[in-house]
Amino acid sequence: MITTRDIAERIGVSVSTVGRALADDPRISEETKGRVRQAASELGYVGNRAARMMRGASSNVVALVIPDIRNSFYSTIAHELSKNMEAEGFQLMLSETDDDRMAELRHLRELSANRVAGVIIVPTARPHSESVKLLRAVPHLQLLRKHPSLGSQWFGVDDHEALRRATAHLVAQGHTRIAYLGGPEELPTGAERLRGFRTALREGGLPDDAGRTELGPPSSVQHGREAVRRLLEAPDAPSALVSGSIQLTLGILEELSRQGVKVPGELSVVGFGDEPGFSWWGPGLTTVGLPIQEMATGCALWLLRRLKTKPSNDGPYTSVSPGSLILRGSTAPPGGRGPSKSA
Amino acid sequence: MITTRDIAERIGVSVSTVGRALADDPRISEETKGRVRQAASELGYVGNRAARMMRGASSNVVALVIPDIRNSFYSTIAHELSKNMEAEGFQLMLSETDDDRMAELRHLRELSANRVAGVIIVPTARPHSESVKLLRAVPHLQLLRKHPSLGSQWFGVDDHEALRRATAHLVAQGHTRIAYLGGPEELPTGAERLRGFRTALREGGLPDDAGRTELGPPSSVQHGREAVRRLLEAPDAPSALVSGSIQLTLGILEELSRQGVKVPGELSVVGFGDEPGFSWWGPGLTTVGLPIQEMATGCALWLLRRLKTKPSNDGPYTSVSPGSLILRGSTAPPGGRGPSKSA
DNA sequence: TTGAAAGCGCTAACAG
DNA sequence: CTGTTAGCGCTTTCAA
């Protein structure tokens, strides 16, 4: 590897002159700068960031800690962050936790050892206490999920409102046996979405047992399939179904297609997120559209600003729009037939 | 930030003793080790990798350079790599090029400055000469696309064979006007897939002008939609369509749904990749399934081995299986009606 | 306008 | 078993 010293020796100046020339220090003559740059380019010199960091420079790496990049929710976020970060000269480190707090901890340890400049994290349900400590030492931001121990900088969506709206739509159509399929309550998002579901039932004047809930791993397509199967086999099968996770929605759709369930004839369905394919599933999936992109961009801008200004500004948090209900053909009054939009 | 020196001072030993204790050097007494570890943990010490790197330690970061993480093709790869890398203590850096050679170059510069241990890259069509130089200095591996200037370490799929099979299936059903919609020829993958398409036509005894081709940006859903529109409006509209890109396939499906084109009645379609949703699109999409996961795992293992053994072993390349044609309902003999599988 | 030298945190050779 | 010392590549005083 070529160092400043190699350049210095080659053109017969000192390393400090080389360093200054490369930093475009005004005290160095244009002529010397030229020779230095020339030599640097010929030798293929690439500055060593590790050395710079030892002199106090900060890393240009921001880490994104998420459950699983295959979830398009997260890959959209990763893309948006990456784009914004790259524009400011930052690189993106990707750490997948698979919703395992130990994996999360392992990653955070590595990230601290690497002295990353910042961390954007979708925390696991109950982060390890060491994870909490590690995060305290680096500018960070929670995304989607919010755990109190990790500070109050948070970007997310209004989960409660999103599910409330989705469910209210079904209630308004006259459904009285509605099932909710979502993540576990120990996840803040899971709890909020479930709460939104129940709020809508209550507001619709439905008894508490109108709602049947199936909670489970939110990133498991497989679990979505199984949960649907259980719901449909139960004696008092619901006439409508709301989902509280993208992956579960994928499982739901697959299983309903496989079983040939008539939607919305036998069952009305509201999905979560708006994946490619949701619009062409069966009669078109009515679903909750989420402002992921806006959220990710906001998140990136906040962190970038935070990284560029010394003082630690601790605005409490920012929540973005509740998402919008996208009406397609998968919902209709119970017992009715054909998509609601043709009613 | 806590350093070894802080620990040393706290318990009254030298920094080297601390260093050795933390490295579990057999020369240090268990008792001292205990005290050092205790202090380290109390102070929340985290080793500084930048400093270690200056002492010759190598980075534990491997970079993945791809066009766009939103493409599920790449997010699957990222996930698979991440999983394998994490198991060996490596972190994954994510660099998106958007198929822009300048963005690619910018990323490679940053990656070299950070002295990443290795790079896995899906190169742009014609990488910048500086990119080539930069890559020469770091263990790297090409993925999917193969550019001669970037060495002969390559992992990919048999694109020629994949498209040949897909097209042959249509030819066998009696189609004589088949359209191919894929990436540009300047991309190695684009060229190979197109060649596979033409091979199948030729092998089927069809004249060269039996095939109509629409080439364009492979990651653009939008382009897929437009290309389909052009194909269908043309005077001699094809009776079958093959795709050579996941994103283009998404565009194709959206547009065909939107226009209400009867598949396979009016048009037979073979997609590329097997996304969630492809199975429930219309009559079910016949498509080319790709062994992405296997490829990514192979790729990870190869690089890990390469990083752990000093000698640079340059086996030429490994190509994995050609993918398999997944038969569903979207293909049928021309003029026939109903899915081919019901024939 | 340029050089010499110190030091960031860590490891490893060389003493004790 | 432990301490002293040097040096990785760079920036930054302090001198010239």
Side-chain angles (χ1 to χ4, degrees):
Chain A
M1 268 299 166
I2 306 299
T3 72
T4 46
R5 188 172 159 173
D6 297 318
I7 301 179
E9 285 177 354
R10 183 168 222 250
I11 62 178
V13 294
S14 71
V15 281
S16 21
T17 298
V18 171
R20 285 196 271 253
L22 292 173
D24 203 24
D25 190 303
R27 292 175 302 182
I28 302 294
S29 71
E30 281 308 323
E31 197 243 324
T32 309
K33 282 185 189 171
R35 289 171 51 222
V36 169
R37 285 198 267 255
Q38 169 80 22
S41 149
E42 282 175 19
L43 295 171
Y45 169 80
V46 178
N48 184 332
R49 175 157 269 113
R52 275 200 253 266
M53 282 176 66
M54 288 207 56
R55 292 282 318 171
S58 88
S59 158
N60 69 333
V61 174
V62 166
L64 176 64
V65 183
I66 53 176
D68 188 336
I69 189 66
R70 289 172 303 180
N71 188 324
S72 69
F73 209 81
Y74 299 123
S75 61
T76 305
I77 288 169
H79 172 80
E80 217 58 37
L81 286 176
S82 168
K83 230 175 42 181
N84 283 283
M85 294 292 165
E86 203 240 329
E88 302 287 335
F90 283 90
Q91 293 286 120
L92 194 68
M93 195 86 111
L94 183 68
S95 304
E96 290 187 296
T97 64
D98 195 25
D99 266 329
D100 170 356
R101 62 207 295 263
M102 285 307 163
E104 179 180 61
L105 175 57
R106 280 196 300 275
H107 273 119
L108 288 174
R109 280 209 263 250
E110 284 302 331
L111 297 174
S112 324
N114 281 92
R115 300 291 191 270
V116 295
V119 172
I120 294 174
I121 184 171
V122 179
T124 55
R126 289 171 301 105
H128 193 282
S129 66
E130 192 187 335
S131 299
V132 176
K133 260 202 218 158
L134 289 170
L135 274 176
R136 261 203 275 271
V138 47
H140 66 280
L141 199 50
Q142 291 182 75
L143 197 58
L144 298 166
R145 302 177 189 163
K146 182 178 180 186
H147 196 275
S149 67
L150 303 184
S152 52
Q153 269 74 48
W154 175 77
F155 273 72
V157 299
D158 189 337
D159 290 301
H160 177 266
E161 180 63 9
L163 260 291
R164 197 193 60 76
R165 287 191 192 176
T167 312
H169 168 64
L170 293 169
V171 172
Q173 289 190 319
H175 289 276
T176 52
R177 292 194 324 285
I178 307 176
Y180 168 73
L181 223 148
E185 277 194 87
E186 58 170 8
L187 287 177
T189 43
E192 278 301 294
R193 289 172 199 164
L194 178 57
R195 209 165 60 75
F197 171 69
R198 294 205 166 123
T199 299
L201 293 186
R202 205 169 42 247
E203 286 175 354
L206 292 178
D208 261 17
D209 62 353
R212 181 143 159 52
T213 59
E214 278 277 358
L215 308 182
S219 313
S220 160
V221 176
Q222 180 59 26
H223 173 255
R225 274 195 290 257
E226 293 163 359
V228 168
R229 221 170 296 151
R230 279 195 296 275
L231 283 171
L232 295 181
E233 284 168 359
D236 55 341
S239 66
L241 174 59
V242 203
S243 171
S245 136
I246 295 188
Q247 303 298 106
L248 293 179
T249 305
L250 289 171
I252 292 170
L253 300 188
E254 277 183 20
E255 186 62 19
L256 293 178
S257 284
R258 206 184 58 78
Q259 294 201 15
V261 175
K262 293 222 188 327
V263 174
E266 298 170 26
L267 186 74
S268 284
V269 182
V270 181
F272 193 79
D274 194 19
E275 296 297 284
F278 281 10
S279 66
W280 70 58
W281 179 81
L285 183 68
T286 293
T287 196
V288 176
L290 300 163
I292 316 180
Q293 213 171 315
E294 294 75 1
M295 189 190 59
T297 303
C299 193
L301 296 180
W302 189 95
L303 188 63
L304 285 171
R305 191 166 50 75
R306 167 77 182 74
L307 292 180
K308 281 198 281 198
T309 61
K310 290 288 116 192
S312 58
N313 42 7
D314 329 21
Y317 75 93
T318 308
S319 158
V320 278
S321 112
S324 48
L325 193 62
I326 301 169
L327 293 172
R328 298 204 183 98
S330 67
T331 49
R337 69 184 54 189
S340 62
K341 62 182 173 188
S342 72
Chain B
M1 268 298 167
I2 308 300
T3 71
T4 45
R5 189 172 156 174
D6 296 317
I7 300 178
E9 286 175 355
R10 184 168 221 253
I11 61 177
V13 294
S14 71
V15 281
S16 27
T17 299
V18 172
R20 285 194 273 252
L22 292 173
D24 203 25
D25 190 303
R27 292 174 302 180
I28 302 295
S29 70
E30 279 309 320
E31 195 245 325
T32 307
K33 281 186 190 170
R35 288 171 54 222
V36 168
R37 285 198 268 254
Q38 169 81 20
S41 150
E42 280 175 20
L43 295 171
Y45 169 79
V46 179
N48 185 331
R49 176 159 265 112
R52 277 201 252 268
M53 281 175 68
M54 288 207 57
R55 293 281 319 169
S58 89
S59 159
N60 69 332
V61 175
V62 165
L64 176 64
V65 184
I66 53 175
D68 187 338
I69 188 68
R70 289 172 303 179
N71 188 324
S72 68
F73 208 82
Y74 299 124
S75 60
T76 303
I77 289 169
H79 171 80
E80 217 57 38
L81 287 176
S82 168
K83 229 175 40 181
N84 284 283
M85 294 291 165
E86 204 240 330
E88 301 287 335
F90 284 90
Q91 293 287 120
L92 193 68
M93 193 86 110
L94 183 66
S95 303
E96 290 187 296
T97 63
D98 195 26
D99 266 328
D100 170 357
R101 63 207 296 262
M102 284 307 163
E104 178 179 64
L105 175 55
R106 281 196 299 276
H107 273 118
L108 289 173
R109 283 207 192 118
E110 286 299 333
L111 297 173
S112 325
N114 281 91
R115 299 291 191 273
V116 295
V119 173
I120 294 173
I121 185 171
V122 179
T124 55
R126 289 171 301 106
H128 193 281
S129 66
E130 193 187 334
S131 300
V132 175
K133 260 201 217 156
L134 289 169
L135 274 176
R136 262 202 274 269
V138 45
H140 66 280
L141 200 49
Q142 292 182 77
L143 197 57
L144 298 167
R145 302 179 189 161
K146 182 178 180 183
H147 196 275
S149 67
L150 303 184
S152 51
Q153 269 74 47
W154 174 77
F155 274 72
V157 298
D158 189 337
D159 291 299
H160 177 266
E161 180 63 9
L163 261 290
R164 196 192 62 76
R165 288 191 191 175
T167 311
H169 168 63
L170 293 169
V171 172
Q173 289 190 319
H175 290 277
T176 52
R177 292 192 325 285
I178 306 175
Y180 168 73
L181 222 148
E185 278 194 85
E186 59 170 6
L187 287 176
T189 45
E192 277 302 294
R193 290 172 199 164
L194 178 57
R195 209 163 61 77
F197 171 70
R198 294 205 166 122
T199 300
L201 294 185
R202 205 169 41 248
E203 287 175 353
L206 292 177
D208 262 15
D209 61 354
R212 183 146 158 48
T213 59
E214 278 277 356
L215 308 182
S219 314
S220 163
V221 176
Q222 181 57 27
H223 174 255
R225 275 194 290 258
E226 292 164 0
V228 168
R229 220 170 297 151
R230 277 195 297 275
L231 282 172
L232 295 181
E233 283 167 0
D236 54 342
S239 66
L241 174 58
V242 203
S243 171
S245 134
I246 294 188
Q247 302 298 104
L248 293 178
T249 304
L250 288 171
I252 291 168
L253 300 188
E254 277 182 21
E255 185 63 18
L256 292 179
S257 284
R258 206 184 58 77
Q259 294 200 17
V261 175
K262 295 223 186 325
V263 174
E266 296 171 28
L267 185 74
S268 285
V269 181
V270 180
F272 193 80
D274 194 18
E275 296 298 284
F278 280 11
S279 67
W280 68 59
W281 179 82
L285 184 68
T286 292
T287 195
V288 176
L290 301 164
I292 315 179
Q293 214 172 314
E294 293 75 1
M295 188 190 59
T297 303
C299 193
L301 296 180
W302 190 94
L303 189 62
L304 284 171
R305 192 165 50 75
R306 168 77 181 73
L307 292 180
K308 282 198 281 198
T309 61
K310 292 288 116 190
S312 57
N313 42 7
D314 330 20
Y317 75 95
T318 309
S319 159
V320 276
S321 110
S324 48
L325 193 62
I326 300 169
L327 292 173
R328 297 204 184 97
S330 66
T331 48
R337 68 184 55 188
S340 63
K341 61 183 172 184
S342 72

